[in-house]
Amino acid sequence: MSQSLNYPFPEPPAEGATLEVAPGIHWLRLPLPFALDHINVWLLEDGDGWTLVDTGLGTDQTREHWQAVAGLVLDGQPVRRIVVTHYHPDHIGQAAWLAETHDAVVHLTDGEMAHARRVHGMADEEAGARLAELFAHHGLDTDRANALRQRGNTYRRLVPRIPDRHVTLGDGDTLAIGDRHWRVVVGRGHSPEHACLYSESGDQPVLIAGDQVLPKISSNVSVRPEAEHEDPLGEFLASLERLGALRSGTRVLPSHGGVFEGLPERCAALMHHHEAHLERLLGVLSQPGTAADMLPVLFRKGLDNHQIMFAMGESVAHLRHLEVRGLVERDGDEPVRFRRVD
Ligand SMILES: [Zn+2]
């Protein structure tokens, strides 16, 4: 689907430097040691201090990065608040350390905090087993399921500590930060209760989108082992519809990729992307198939063990959504196969 997004800042800020992307809002990029090699975090002028939005992975590398840039980018002013959009490691990783270092308060939704605590607290055996069992149940072969089982609790390796306390954010809440008012807009499907921040203060509306809307890639949408009854893709599509209805001139600040304009077009393109995946699945499900059988239908290239985890999650989420829509039904239960309802 064609979409023309406008990128007002063609180049990201240089390493260790910030770029002001709207009055009082500064873009800082932190490294990630993955194929997705960066996360964008946002520094908001907040009176005589700062509010940070997202924090990077809880690794030594990211901490050293913060230490190196703190003097430069924070200009000697204290950090007062840390807003965490959602529980994923690249967003919450340094929140506990930054809060302690700056005596700042962490803000996030209760849904994200509860999930962070639950995942962080799982023993290696339990964390590995839950994912392996879910995916084996959906047809993943024993070798690849065992490889996932042996990964253990990868979350805790990237998030050594969860903040002890937090202030709760909820959908519709408003935050006054510096001269701006921000409304919390909760999105779902990528994570349980993801907070986006939307401001109409100033000449141009601004959306801090987290991972809920990204300009170049689609956010991972996975069924979680403890929530097989849910419909994360349905929730994600509903969230895109809601975000796509915000003002069309909005400047969007995503966690990955560049700052862009064209929010309604991007939301529509992402919805179209998922609808096309659903169509493709329906096209082959005249014969019953498992989520594992559907990997080559949804993903064209070979997948390593790390990618398998995301790909299986996506495949199950798409099949589950077709089931919720009444377009497929289960056919056999170990492994689970789905068949198109004709
Ligand atoms: Zn995320």
Side-chain angles (χ1 to χ4, degrees), residues 198-233:
Y198 180 64
S199 174
E200 290 186 339
S201 308
D203 295 338
Q204 184 181 20
V206 177
L207 177 71
I208 297 180
D211 281 351
Q212 200 69 39
V213 186
L214 301 174
K216 292 271 194 278
I217 53 176
S218 62
S219 314
N220 179 256
V221 176
S222 284
V223 167
R224 292 179 286 120
E226 67 279 10
E228 268 205 85
H229 57 285
E230 291 182 354
D231 172 20
L233 182 57

Side-chain angles (χ1 to χ4, degrees), residues 91-149:
H91 302 262
I92 203 174
Q94 294 293 357
W97 173 73
L98 283 166
E100 208 170 85
T101 305
H102 294 277
D103 197 19
V105 184
V106 174
H107 291 56
L108 83 165
T109 66
D110 285 347
E112 296 294 327
M113 188 52 145
H115 201 67
R117 287 202 172 119
R118 187 161 55 231
V119 177
H120 190 265
M122 268 184 213
D124 279 321
E125 305 73 52
E126 186 191 359
R130 291 174 79 134
L131 209 55
E133 281 159 21
L134 172 69
F135 292 161
H137 180 56
H138 283 280
L140 191 65
D141 60 85
T142 312
D143 283 355
R144 287 193 292 184
N146 280 339
L148 286 180
R149 192 185 299 272

Side-chain angles (χ1 to χ4, degrees), residues 1-5 244 248 260-271:
M1 187 179 174
S2 70
Q3 50 167 352
S4 52
L5 304 181
S248 65
F260 71 95
E261 291 159 357
L263 179 62
E265 292 81 1
R266 184 58 186 152
C267 289
L270 286 164
M271 290 163 79

Side-chain angles (χ1 to χ4, degrees), residues 86 88 90-91 190 211:
H86 65 298
H88 288 158
D90 44 338
H91 302 262
H190 172 68
D211 281 351

